[in-house]
Amino acid sequence: MKKISLLLLLATLGCKQQILIEESLSPTFGIVIHGGAGTILKENMTPTKEAAYRKVLTEAIKVGHTILQNGGSSQEAVEKTIHVMEDSTLFNAGKGAVLNSNETIELDASFMNGSNLDAGAISGVSTIKNPISAAIKVMENSPHVMLSGKGAEDFAATQNLELVKPQYFITDRRVKALKRVKAQEALRNKPISSAETSFLQHQRYGTVGCVALDLEGNLAAGTSTGGMTNKKWNRIGDAPIIGAGTYANNATCAISATGWGEFFIRSVVAHDISALMEYKGFSIKEASRIVIHEKVGGLGGDGGVVGIDAKGNVAMEMNTPGMYRAHMDAEGNLNVKIYKK
Ligand code: ASP
């Protein structure tokens, strides 16, 4: 009698183990996006505005999800998902990006492929309709990782990318925002110093980013932004910097960041999350928590990240009151969120 129950127990355990092994081997996919982190408060939001953000976030993530579901690559999912947000005037990327102090646009973007650690980035461009595609072309068709300004635009012109007049990107909302910031700056009668944190903290919103895991187990990450309102001197933030705003490695995770770029560069945010996973065995959630709260937060910076690992576990971590974000898993469960809680 005892022998039979022991055999039955062993058979059940074996079966469970097999299911577990199959589960961990069965391919899965997933996608996470952000549309910028910052002082996004419910009291400053109208139901119409909130609905508009949710609509574009949903539309964007579904584009990538469909690609992944049909066996497409994480690279394609990231690129096409970001196009939707770059084309929307709601976000600080592509059309609707913030203006620099000369009332012009300087766009930054980067992309990284987790399967081979290939990467591409562009910064300070104002005629490329979808900067994320230019970053991908730099990765695919140039011997470089990062191109900037006119050179990046000359390169884009050879790559069959859609080019537009700088005016295409400019919206009333951002013109007004620049006027407001300049008026505040004039009151101070001096340029903003790095210590004037609360002022600078409010000059950026709406960078976009996407991370994805495809059915082949490949991770990819991309980020696209207009940077910071009233930026001067060809300032470049973290978004186009591989390892700071964007990082992907099949062995660990794919990360896209948004926040106060200077602090994200100094904390090497995206790569640091990957390194904590690789060298310390931390989960993506724990690694993201440490980097956003202890490292970036410890220096006085703010912002957030979205990430996904090779098993489809995700992180959406921030130390700001809000971050436009969404996650969609292989089963099609969609989670769109704006506020921290
Ligand atoms: N990180 C971007 C930058 O500093 C801005 C943002 O994400 O809001 O350019």
Side-chain angles (χ1 to χ4, degrees):
M1 189 67 180
K2 266 188 186 164
K3 215 173 173 183
I4 293 173
S5 6
L6 188 66
L7 282 175
L8 274 175
L9 183 69
L10 285 176
T12 337
L13 281 178
C15 190
K16 271 198 182 139
Q17 209 162 27
Q18 194 178 342
I19 291 172
L20 278 178
I21 291 171
E22 272 173 13
E23 261 180 13
S24 65
L25 290 180
S26 76
T28 188
F29 67 93
I31 180 164
V32 196
I33 59 175
H34 70 75
T39 319
I40 307 163
L41 300 168
K42 202 162 178 77
E43 51 266 37
N44 299 335
M45 193 65 102
T46 63
T48 325
K49 215 166 133 188
E50 192 172 317
Y53 276 101
R54 285 180 177 277
K55 185 169 172 279
V56 182
L57 288 170
T58 304
E59 200 182 307
I61 202 162
K62 284 190 172 168
V63 166
H65 190 269
T66 306
I67 292 170
L68 298 168
Q69 197 167 38
N70 294 332
S73 69
S74 51
Q75 174 173 322
E76 191 189 352
V78 167
E79 181 180 18
K80 300 284 163 54
T81 298
I82 290 185
H83 281 181
V84 177
M85 294 188 281
E86 285 179 334
D87 293 346
S88 158
T89 54
L90 290 179
F91 301 100
N92 174 17
K95 192 171 175 65
V98 300
L99 301 183
N100 65 19
S101 71
N102 298 329
E103 291 176 38
T104 55
I105 293 276
E106 286 166 30
L107 304 170
D108 303 330
S110 66
F111 176 86
M112 186 156 182
N113 204 325
S115 63
N116 52 11
L117 306 186
D118 263 2
I122 48 120
S123 82
V125 299
S126 57
T127 59
I128 303 169
K129 181 171 174 269
N130 292 108
I132 190 68
S133 295
I136 291 175
K137 292 289 190 196
V138 171
M139 173 183 86
E140 288 178 337
N141 297 338
S142 89
H144 309 299
V145 169
M146 192 170 191
L147 300 179
S148 72
K150 182 162 182 318
E153 292 180 340
D154 289 347
F155 169 76
T158 69
Q159 297 296 310
N160 264 335
L161 293 171
E162 192 173 345
L163 302 178
V164 290
K165 297 228 153 60
Q167 204 57 33
Y168 160 82
F169 297 104
I170 298 176
T171 56
D172 263 8
R173 174 186 174 206
R174 303 303 191 187
V175 172
K176 282 185 193 141
L178 179 66
K179 281 195 180 128
R180 251 189 342 259
V181 175
K182 283 194 170 229
Q184 280 170 285
E185 195 181 47
L187 279 180
R188 289 156 189 265
N189 212 9
K190 60 177 166 56
I192 308 301
S193 81
S194 63
E196 290 172 286
T197 54
S198 67
F199 181 79
L200 280 172
Q201 226 158 8
H202 296 95
Q203 308 322 320
R204 39 155 197 83
Y205 288 113
T207 290
V208 307
C210 177
V211 293
L213 165 68
D214 65 27
L215 282 164
E216 303 275 305
N218 291 324
L219 292 168
T223 312
S224 180
T225 190
M228 199 178 250
T229 306
N230 198 31
K231 63 186 182 183
K232 301 178 179 71
W233 311 304
N234 303 116
R235 177 263 186 195
I236 299 169
D238 60 315
I241 298 181
I242 297 300
T246 303
Y247 193 74
N249 181 343
N250 279 7
T252 54
C253 60
I255 299 287
S256 170
T258 168
W260 194 340
E262 281 68 11
F263 290 89
F264 278 63
I265 295 172
R266 290 164 60 202
S267 307
V268 204
V269 166
H271 182 264
D272 206 33
I273 293 171
S274 168
L276 283 173
M277 293 176 70
E278 186 171 358
Y279 306 138
K280 292 238 175 183
F282 287 158
S283 70
I284 190 164
K285 278 203 171 65
E286 183 59 1
S288 303
R289 191 197 62 74
I290 292 170
V291 174
I292 290 301
H293 297 276
E294 295 176 17
K295 302 210 171 177
V296 174
L299 292 176
D302 68 346
V305 289
V306 295
I308 189 163
D309 72 11
K311 291 192 185 120
N313 299 309
V314 305
M316 296 191 276
E317 196 68 44
M318 78 212 78
N319 69 350
T320 48
M323 176 166 76
Y324 299 106
R325 62 199 186 277
H327 167 221
M328 205 166 175
D329 65 16
E331 282 73 49
N333 300 307
L334 172 66
N335 185 12
V336 184
K337 286 187 146 190
I338 297 179
Y339 312 105
K340 189 167 190 167
K341 297 274 170 231

